[in-house]
Amino acid sequence: MNSLNDIEVVITRPKAQGEKWQQQLQSLGANTFLIPVLEILPLNSNNDQTERISSLKAILLKLDEFQKIILVSQNAVNEAAAWIDNYWPQRPVGIEYFAVGSATARLARQLDFEITAPSEAMNSEDLLALDAMHNVKDQKILICRGVGGRTTLYDELTKRGASVTYGELYTRNLPEVALSQIQALKLGNNGRKTVLSAHSGESVENLNSVLEALTELASETKVNIKTLPLLIPGERVAKIAKDLGFQQLIVAKNATDNEMTQALCDWQ
């Protein structure tokens, strides 16, 4: 990969995922700022999640009734493993596990899930294209995810005749501190090429919310923040960014560290 010595990257991933990518970028010479615009909070960390926790427990107690379980993210893998192992000292047999994305699949295997995933792509559409996702009539399928989000998997699998249930394991929030952290950067005003980054549609939306709240930043730095390059994974996220007014997009093949970095190097 090329040197990134004259680039600074604003990393907006949750801290746990962002730190690993930050190390890779720094090894190539980039200056980096890790400012999560998305934080992951387990259900049991919030006092107002009693109803969701009760619903999740009821699902887990009948886990052996599902034929397929889909893990949509690395966070879903970590939380699902903890919850399942808490209720099932020996995991139920006969369940097929699927992952959205190679990084999710890799983590799932590390946590002893026998997992199937698309070979390269990292989205719901490519998971739905797998042969195993076509003949699902009358099957019970559990989608492990955070609260809210895309409904593509649920909608399409339901159309195909499956009985689909959400196991919502965590919440995603915009950290309040992101506003002051991004404001303090004085983006685009220090001689380096500044690149914003977002690894998901929700992160783009949260980043947009932060920037919209910082209308004074543009006048202070003489930079229109929406004109700064935004590095994102895939055309679906690119469309979200375009619709929100981001003007210069760097589109990676997917959200893996290597592909995001390679797209940045190619742009450079």
Side-chain angles (χ1 to χ4, degrees):
M1 292 183 180
N2 300 333
S3 169
L4 298 175
N5 287 329
D6 62 343
I7 290 179
E8 63 180 14
V9 183
V10 180
I11 301 168
T12 62
R13 298 196 83 179
K15 187 174 185 291
Q17 290 90 358
E19 287 179 339
K20 182 172 177 288
W21 189 44
Q22 184 178 37
Q23 291 173 3
Q24 184 182 79
L25 293 175
Q26 289 175 345
S27 72
L28 294 172
N31 192 30
T32 62
F33 305 97
L34 179 55
I35 303 178
V37 297
L38 200 64
E39 64 178 350
I40 306 300
L41 298 175
L43 291 187
N44 58 11
S45 70
N46 296 300
N47 293 329
D48 60 347
Q49 300 296 331
T50 303
E51 187 174 335
R52 286 198 174 105
I53 291 173
S54 296
S55 175
L56 182 58
K57 287 180 178 178
I59 292 169
L60 290 169
L61 290 172
K62 296 182 179 180
L63 195 68
D64 56 342
E65 296 181 4
F66 291 93
Q67 282 78 49
K68 291 180 171 64
I69 294 179
I70 298 173
L71 305 165
V72 304
S73 67
Q74 295 178 65
N75 294 307
V77 171
N78 282 322
E79 292 299 320
W83 278 93
I84 292 172
D85 291 348
N86 187 47
Y87 283 87
W88 295 84
Q90 182 174 345
R91 292 177 187 168
V93 298
I95 299 176
E96 295 180 282
Y97 291 91
F98 297 85
V100 178
S102 57
T104 302
R106 185 163 52 250
L107 177 59
R109 293 186 182 106
Q110 291 173 3
L111 296 179
D112 297 325
F113 289 101
E114 291 188 11
I115 205 82
T116 300
S119 58
E120 180 176 343
M122 295 185 64
N123 55 47
S124 300
E125 289 78 6
D126 291 283
L127 182 68
L128 288 166
L130 295 176
D131 290 342
M133 289 294 161
H134 284 279
N135 299 316
V136 295
K137 184 175 174 58
D138 297 326
Q139 290 190 9
K140 295 187 68 174
I141 300 177
L142 177 64
I143 300 175
C144 293
R145 67 172 198 166
V147 174
R150 297 184 73 199
T151 64
T152 303
L153 286 172
Y154 184 99
D155 294 343
E156 185 56 35
L157 291 171
T158 299
K159 287 180 184 177
R160 296 177 186 181
S163 174
V164 186
T165 300
Y166 282 132
E168 295 184 318
L169 300 159
Y170 53 90
T171 61
R172 298 181 297 268
N173 300 301
L174 171 59
E176 292 183 10
V177 71
L179 192 70
S180 59
Q181 287 178 323
I182 289 181
Q183 186 175 22
L185 292 182
K186 308 296 184 185
L187 293 175
N189 200 34
N190 61 7
R192 286 195 177 209
K193 298 176 186 176
T194 301
V195 177
L196 307 173
S197 69
H199 280 67
S200 69
E202 188 171 8
S203 290
V204 172
E205 292 166 350
N206 283 3
L207 176 61
N208 181 68
S209 296
V210 171
L211 297 181
E212 291 291 331
L214 293 176
T215 53
E216 74 279 9
L217 186 60
S219 61
E220 287 179 10
T221 63
K222 310 301 182 186
V223 172
N224 180 349
I225 302 301
K226 291 288 187 73
T227 67
L228 292 176
L230 175 64
L231 174 62
I232 38 84
E235 294 301 330
R236 183 186 68 81
V237 181
K239 183 180 185 306
I240 293 172
K242 288 177 185 175
D243 290 345
L244 290 173
F246 290 93
Q247 299 176 28
Q248 186 177 173
L249 301 180
I250 307 168
V251 184
K253 290 181 180 179
N254 57 49
T256 60
D257 291 348
N258 286 341
E259 289 295 347
M260 292 287 278
T261 301
Q262 187 61 59
L264 187 59
C265 289
D266 292 343
W267 172 80
Q268 149 90 335

